[in-house]
Amino acid sequence: MPPKKGPKLHELAAEVKIGYKIVDSKKKTYIVGKQFATGGFGRIHTCHEENTPKTELVMKIEPADNGPLFSEVIVFQKILKLEQIEAYKKRMKLQWLGLPYIISAGIFTYTNQQKMRFMILPKYATSLENIREKQKTLALRNVLEIARSMLNSLEYVQEMDYTHADLKAANILLEKLGDFQKTVLVDFGLARFSGKIEDKPEKKRAHNGTCLFTSCDAHRGCNPSFRADVEILAWNLVYWLTGTLPWLQLETNPEKTFEEKRKFIAGLPATLKSALKSTPEGEASPAFDFILTLLNCSAKTGYAEKVDYSKLRKSLEVAVGKLMKEAKKSTSASSTSASASSSSASASSATPRRGTRKQPPPPPPESSEDSEDQENSPQKSTPTPPKRTRKTPKSTTKNNTSFLSGNESILSGSPSISRQNNRSATISAAKKIEKKYRRKSQVVTSSPIKNQHAMRTRSGITAAMKASPTQLRSVPGMLNFPRGRRTIFIKETAAKFKQQQEEEEVEE
Ligand SMILES: Nc1ncnc2c1ncn2[C@@H]1O[C@H](COP(=O)(O)OP(=O)(O)OP(=O)(O)O)[C@@H](O)[C@H]1O
């Protein structure tokens, strides 16, 4: 997502009607379908090629003179063509590479008024953010699956001398509901050629990216670096596992956020240990070493240097190995107790009881013990029981191919089909909520009390919360907004309250 520089929003493209035909430079005709999401500066529609109506695709549309889609198209044309991706997969012997590819792009004039830019991509099932928003945290095994896919995606992008610079759940899509192994890194609006970067911070670039996750290099005002993508991945992993980051409340203050990130890095490994305490696995989480390796790697790699992905992958496989080993231990522990308490030992150990977790198959012996990073090794301890119970909802996907097992998937976060079917009811409910929050925000705006961002309104939502897109997103009721409307409302409200906050700070 392009950086949010202030309250002024780019213009959204005019809404293109369903059924509108666009002919690209290769004389292929694409038919615009309905709009299903709104990006920062554009609309996202389904579409299909005239001759293949069954293959649903995605069309991003923006006014032609907007910058974000223009630069994204250039990145896709340079590094994200299907043949490039396929050749790389073949060379690296990869079954899966989580990257989108460009199907078509160009400019059309809509109803003779507005020149519009479009880009067509494959359509994926859902965004990881949809899932994260509902669940607040993700299961460790899913986080490791996503990390594996993202490491490969970043490695490809960086091998082409580009950086992504904005990895986050909203920019990660699942190819198939419930399958966390096949995740795709999208939104190359901030991606840059980083082959010739110099460590020259500039104030006007400072804090580019998504404040919560952006790198220390970006906070300093440097162009995106290879090591920065690794750091951004690390912050996201902590966020997905714990549902928070130490600077979550400071999101609207990039300087303080930067300071907190620096403190976190300076305080490693204790800061990371403490952050992971709240996870079901606790501070001895199998993810600990891996995240520490990511942060150490980004700290030790030079600004313009490339990252050693083989080392990162090795560390990830060690984490996977540990997780599988622990799962195996608890399987044998539970089957021992089951056989002791049952007269039919064989039956009880083979059939997992309803409501208990299916346990993964035995881990591959390789990679679980051969950590290179001795400094990162956590103390050996018996697996701590989960500190927090996690309800694992029933999977609706038959073929959930977790790399850890045929475990239940964490599908609860997928957008429900019924919600889509009740779209008009949702829109009217969303309008009511929007009206309510606008009214409440006006109560705050008209108040003569200074330092309003610390003040709670009748709704219990402070102006500071409203200035933070992340916190605003988690306000009860926000989930009732259709996706596009929610994004717009959050952006407008956050921008307004951020400006108010800045004005107050100036006055003070
Ligand atoms: N290929 C796709 N398949 C399915 N959904 C998609 C696809 N591309 C985008 N989306 C949906 O649209 C949302 C916004 O997409 P994207 O981030 O690429 O647009 P953007 O204009 O850069 O938006 P933003 O500025 O909010 O990041 C995604 O979070 C996702 O839900």
Side-chain angles (χ1 to χ4, degrees), residues 143-179:
V143 170
L144 296 180
E145 286 170 330
I146 300 162
R148 185 187 265 169
S149 181
M150 290 301 108
L151 278 183
N152 285 339
S153 305
L154 288 176
E155 186 175 22
Y156 171 87
V157 170
Q158 299 197 357
E159 195 183 286
M160 305 298 253
D161 283 338
Y162 275 73
T163 45
H164 182 274
D166 199 18
L167 185 147
K168 58 180 173 179
N171 290 338
I172 296 174
L173 307 181
L174 273 66
E175 197 196 40
K176 213 165 58 182
L177 288 181
D179 186 352

Side-chain angles (χ1 to χ4, degrees), residues 1-2 36-37 39-40 44 58 60 122-124 170-171 173 187 483:
M1 183 169 63
F36 69 95
I44 296 155
V58 159
K60 289 181 89 168
K123 186 166 191 306
Y124 303 103
N171 290 338
L173 307 181
D187 193 353
R483 297 217 67 225

Side-chain angles (χ1 to χ4, degrees), residues 68 107 118 238 315 356 379 443:
I107 289 180
F118 71 94
V238 176
S315 175
T356 57
Q379 300 132 356
V443 171

Side-chain angles (χ1 to χ4, degrees), residues 38-190:
T38 311
F41 310 127
R43 296 179 190 274
I44 296 155
H45 289 253
T46 59
C47 77
H48 64 265
E49 213 243 297
E50 196 167 38
N51 301 325
T52 49
K54 283 191 181 153
T55 310
E56 209 175 36
L57 306 169
V58 159
M59 184 183 285
K60 289 181 89 168
I61 304 177
E62 274 186 27
D65 38 12
N66 265 11
L69 186 56
F70 171 69
S71 46
E72 194 175 7
V73 169
I74 290 179
V75 177
F76 269 82
Q77 284 168 339
K78 292 263 185 214
I79 68 167
L80 294 170
K81 290 191 204 131
L82 183 59
E83 56 273 23
Q84 290 172 308
I85 293 174
E86 288 304 322
Y88 180 86
K89 275 168 68 183
K90 202 169 165 193
R91 177 159 63 85
M92 304 298 279
K93 299 190 173 57
L94 290 174
Q95 295 275 337
W96 169 255
L97 184 57
L99 288 165
Y101 57 89
I102 185 165
I103 296 171
S104 181
I107 289 180
F108 65 94
T109 307
Y110 187 56
T111 59
N112 284 337
Q113 284 167 0
Q114 200 176 5
K115 275 200 184 285
M116 312 272 227
R117 188 180 307 280
F118 71 94
M119 176 166 66
I120 300 176
L121 308 170
K123 186 166 191 306
Y124 303 103
T126 189
S127 86
L128 183 61
E129 181 64 3
N130 275 343
I131 298 167
R132 194 209 59 79
E133 245 173 28
K134 288 198 174 175
Q135 298 190 173
K136 305 295 175 217
T137 57
L138 302 179
L140 175 60
R141 64 176 182 277
N142 297 140
V143 170
L144 296 180
E145 286 170 330
I146 300 162
R148 185 187 265 169
S149 181
M150 290 301 108
L151 278 183
N152 285 339
S153 305
L154 288 176
E155 186 175 22
Y156 171 87
V157 170
Q158 299 197 357
E159 195 183 286
M160 305 298 253
D161 283 338
Y162 275 73
T163 45
H164 182 274
D166 199 18
L167 185 147
K168 58 180 173 179
N171 290 338
I172 296 174
L173 307 181
L174 273 66
E175 197 196 40
K176 213 165 58 182
L177 288 181
D179 186 352
F180 292 86
Q181 290 185 76
K182 291 191 173 167
T183 49
V184 184
L185 180 62
V186 298
D187 193 353
F188 285 74
L190 277 190

Side-chain angles (χ1 to χ4, degrees), residues 29 40 62 176 179 186 237 274 282 316 321 421 426 440 452 500:
T29 303
E62 274 186 27
K176 213 165 58 182
D179 186 352
V186 298
L237 298 185
S274 143
L316 171 67
N421 291 345
T426 316
K440 285 190 170 150
Q452 289 168 351
Q500 194 176 305

